[in-house]
């Protein structure tokens, strides 16, 4: 009884001490300048050539800070649909996204709150012509699976072999070994998918999900055309990967994608810079930008894709190959 009473009495004291320690620690951090873990510039340079006019009267939030306005995730699955728009909820359509969300979403067989997998539709044409198959990118793993059936049994094998974590969060230590095995990746299953390759092309993904929000539906196609034009001017080939002669070292794919959050920050753009892009300090990372307009595209191409620098006032967050999240 004495110990229980002491513990109850001590709780406010301990809470106060913890609060004081956190406050002191926060104050110390605020006095110490910690440089970002990557090169930055404060704002996007003004364009040096003509660009498309930005749409007027779009309700864009230009006040809220963007840093950190990116969902934490371990992997993003980019599904090739060959379409520019989708239902508001992509899982309502009979396609790969529906099966993947069924396995990985809330209540799914492999749902893991400590291992978030983003499932995103894209306008990319799949490499396969089979009506019941499609192609996917896995990012930031930077891998491409050219052919995957949408049959549930195949999708389950795909999830087990590519998308589950290789190591579980410590919160799962209370589970039995059998339960842990259900949630852990079996990489040996990768061999059931043919011609899996590393991604060496630059990927520019622009939210164009008009079926979810008109701001991205308007801004997305406009930015896609602008990025394709500006990349081509810099000698980057735009098109489906890869060239058959194997000599394609400078190529990019620019596509529209479904909802990634933050429609009020349109245009929303994710740039995945492949690990093979030598000399770029951001190689092997994905950079999320918000409030992108046509006049920013040339600067993003020059500063981020070629220069390896993050533009601070547009930066929503980022992720490195291996899953480390990037913040300013």
């Amino acid at each position: 009884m004495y110990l229980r009473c002491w513990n109850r009495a001590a709780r406010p004291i301990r809470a106060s001490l913890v609060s004081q320690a956190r406050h002191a620690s926060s104050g110390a951090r605020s006095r110490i300048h910690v440089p970002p873990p990557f090169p930055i510039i404060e704002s996007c340079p003004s364009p040096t050539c003509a660009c498309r006019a930005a749409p007027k009267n779009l309700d864009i939030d230009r006040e809220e800070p963007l840093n950190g306005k990116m969902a934490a995730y371990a992997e993003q699955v980019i599904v090739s649909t060959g379409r520019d728009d989708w239902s508001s909820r992509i899982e309502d359509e009979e396609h790969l996204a529906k099966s993947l969300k069924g396995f990985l979403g809330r209540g799914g067989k492999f749902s893991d709150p400590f291992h978030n997998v983003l499932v995103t539709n894209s306008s990319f044409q799949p490499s396969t012509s089979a009506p019941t198959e499609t192609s996917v990118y896995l990012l930031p793993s930077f891998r491409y699976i050219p052919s995957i059936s949408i049959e549930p049994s195949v999708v389950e094998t795909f999830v087990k072999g590519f998308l589950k974590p290789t190591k579980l969060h410590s919160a799962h230590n209370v589970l039995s070994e059998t339960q842990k095995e259900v949630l852990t990746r079996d990489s040996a299953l990768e061999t059931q998918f043919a011609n899996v390759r590393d991604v060496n092309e630059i990927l520019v993904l622009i939210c164009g999900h008009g079926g979810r929000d008109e701001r991205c539906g308007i801004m997305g196609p406009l930015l896609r055309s602008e990025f394709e034009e500006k990349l081509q001017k810099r000698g980057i080939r735009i098109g489906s990967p890869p060239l058959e002669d194997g000599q394609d070292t400078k190529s990019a794919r620019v596509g529209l994608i479904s909802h990634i959050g933050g429609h009020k920050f349109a245009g929303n753009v994710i740039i995945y810079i492949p690990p093979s892009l030598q000399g770029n300090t951001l190689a092997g990372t994905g950079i999320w930008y918000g409030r992108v307009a046509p006049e920013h595209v040339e600067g993003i191409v020059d500063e981020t894709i070629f220069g390896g620098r993050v533009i601070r006032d547009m930066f929503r967050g980022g992720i490195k190959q291996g899953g480390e999240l990037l913040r300013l």
Side-chain angles (χ1 to χ4, degrees):
M1 176 67 72
Y2 172 79
L3 289 175
R4 287 199 295 271
C5 291
W6 186 89
N7 282 333
R8 285 197 294 270
R11 284 173 192 158
I13 299 173
R14 287 198 298 268
S16 177
L17 290 173
V18 169
S19 177
Q20 293 176 38
R22 287 176 177 169
H23 179 76
S25 175
S26 175
R29 286 196 300 268
S30 67
R31 292 191 297 270
I32 299 173
H33 174 69
V34 179
F38 39 77
I40 66 167
I41 60 171
E42 290 299 320
S43 59
C44 193
S46 299
T48 62
C49 58
C51 58
R52 289 159 178 81
K56 297 181 179 179
N57 302 319
L58 289 184
D59 184 18
I60 307 299
D61 182 331
R62 303 195 182 279
E63 301 298 327
E64 187 175 341
L66 288 175
N67 183 39
K69 296 298 190 299
M70 178 197 86
Y73 64 101
E75 195 82 279
Q76 185 174 20
V77 185
I78 303 296
V79 181
S80 301
T81 71
R83 294 166 48 197
D84 280 4
D85 201 8
W86 311 272
S87 298
S88 177
R89 287 164 37 93
I90 60 174
E91 59 268 35
D92 289 343
E93 299 180 4
E94 293 294 334
H95 205 268
L96 181 60
K98 180 175 184 177
S99 294
L100 287 173
K101 284 180 173 282
F103 284 114
L104 296 166
R106 184 178 300 176
K109 183 176 180 179
F110 305 120
S111 176
D112 184 343
F114 302 99
H115 186 79
N116 183 28
V117 177
L118 299 183
V119 179
T120 310
N121 277 350
S122 78
S123 62
F124 294 144
Q125 289 290 341
S127 298
T128 175
S129 58
T132 59
E133 295 181 357
T134 188
S135 309
V136 300
Y137 283 96
L138 301 182
L139 302 157
S141 291
F142 288 93
R143 305 184 77 188
Y144 182 73
I145 294 86
S147 179
I148 172 175
S149 170
I150 62 174
E151 292 297 321
S153 60
V154 178
V155 177
E156 181 171 358
T157 300
F158 172 68
V159 172
K160 290 178 178 179
F162 290 93
L163 299 181
K164 294 196 294 183
T166 56
K167 183 179 180 181
L168 296 179
H169 189 275
S170 58
H172 291 308
N173 290 342
V174 297
L175 300 178
S176 69
E177 292 304 314
T178 300
Q179 290 171 319
K180 290 179 182 177
E181 187 176 348
V182 169
L183 294 176
T184 307
R185 186 182 308 178
D186 181 1
S187 298
L189 296 175
E190 292 182 9
T191 58
Q192 297 190 27
F193 297 84
N195 301 317
V196 177
R197 66 168 179 84
D198 292 335
V199 173
N200 294 309
E201 61 270 22
I202 300 158
L203 296 176
V204 179
L205 310 176
I206 307 158
C207 184
H209 199 167
R212 187 72 174 259
D213 190 284
E214 70 169 358
R215 287 168 290 192
C216 288
I218 293 171
M219 191 69 81
L222 188 66
L223 291 175
R224 176 173 58 182
S225 297
E226 194 72 26
F227 269 104
E228 288 179 342
E229 178 184 294
K230 295 302 186 285
L231 285 166
Q232 286 176 320
K233 284 187 175 180
R234 290 296 304 265
I236 301 297
R237 185 185 71 87
I238 304 297
S240 301
L243 290 182
E244 294 193 4
D245 61 8
Q247 301 301 311
D248 187 27
T249 58
K250 290 184 178 180
S251 65
R253 297 190 83 182
V254 182
L256 302 182
I257 57 172
S258 59
H259 178 62
I260 54 172
H263 287 307
K264 64 182 180 179
F265 304 131
N268 289 295
V269 177
I270 310 174
I271 300 170
Y272 284 104
I273 302 174
S276 58
L277 197 59
Q278 298 180 359
N280 190 313
T281 56
L282 297 176
T285 66
I287 302 297
W288 289 48
Y289 284 140
R291 301 187 186 120
V292 177
E295 64 264 26
H296 300 130
V297 171
E298 182 188 56
I300 291 173
V301 170
D302 289 345
E303 296 295 333
T304 300
I305 295 177
F306 281 93
R309 290 177 288 273
V310 166
I311 303 169
R312 181 193 289 272
D313 63 5
M314 305 172 75
F315 182 65
R316 291 184 58 181
I319 189 169
K320 293 179 68 173
Q321 189 177 34
E324 179 187 347
L325 296 180
L326 303 179
R327 297 288 188 266
L328 288 173

